[in-house]
Amino acid sequence: MLELIQTWAQRPNFIVFVILFLWGVYIMAVHPNLVKKLIGLYIVQTSAVFFLVAFSAKDGATVPVLDAKSAAQAAIDVGAYANPLPHVLTVTAIVVQVATLGVSLALVTGIYRRFGSLDEQEVLEQPE
């Protein structure tokens, strides 16, 4: 048990990711309001972005861009450069997050105009 606590203490970013993710899932599962469910979805998506950012950081690394002088050198220290893949995935996740939220808000607006309520149970109980 002590080893588990020590492992968690060494990785506080992972604990924050897990807390944010579970908090978002809890909000989506418990609240009947559709806007609150979207807020929970946004928190889950933000936790995924936080996960990518937190675990892609590398101490002492620089951007992976080679200039003409360093490219001409025979030996390039690969460890001195940051991996660009997590950053690309982060940008993609942010774009998908914004698009998903925009479409979801449009759908919730349509549901409110048609049924006059944002409560999930009231919307499901109304005849079509």
Side-chain angles (χ1 to χ4, degrees):
M1 184 69 179
L2 185 60
E3 294 175 10
L4 182 64
I5 294 173
Q6 288 176 343
T7 303
W8 288 353
Q10 293 172 353
R11 298 178 180 155
N13 296 340
F14 186 71
I15 294 171
V16 172
F17 159 72
V18 170
I19 290 171
L20 280 176
F21 186 83
L22 292 177
W23 186 33
V25 169
Y26 174 77
I27 289 173
M28 286 192 301
V30 170
H31 289 283
N33 189 312
L34 295 176
V35 174
K36 290 181 181 178
K37 287 182 180 291
L38 288 181
I39 292 171
L41 175 69
Y42 186 78
I43 292 173
V44 168
Q45 292 173 333
T46 302
S47 70
V49 169
F50 180 75
F51 177 79
L52 290 171
V53 169
F55 289 100
S56 66
K58 190 175 181 182
D59 288 336
T62 184
V63 294
V65 176
L66 299 176
D67 57 357
K69 181 181 175 185
S70 62
Q73 296 176 349
I76 297 173
D77 183 18
V78 178
Y81 296 100
N83 185 0
L85 182 60
H87 302 286
V88 171
L89 290 175
T90 301
V91 172
T92 304
I94 290 171
V95 170
V96 169
Q97 179 181 11
V98 170
T100 304
L101 187 63
V103 170
S104 300
L105 284 173
L107 290 173
V108 167
T109 302
I111 289 171
Y112 181 74
R113 285 182 182 157
R114 179 169 180 163
F115 296 103
S117 175
L118 291 177
D119 189 85
E120 179 184 18
Q121 202 61 29
E122 289 180 15
V123 171
L124 291 175
E125 291 173 356
Q126 289 185 6
E128 293 184 26

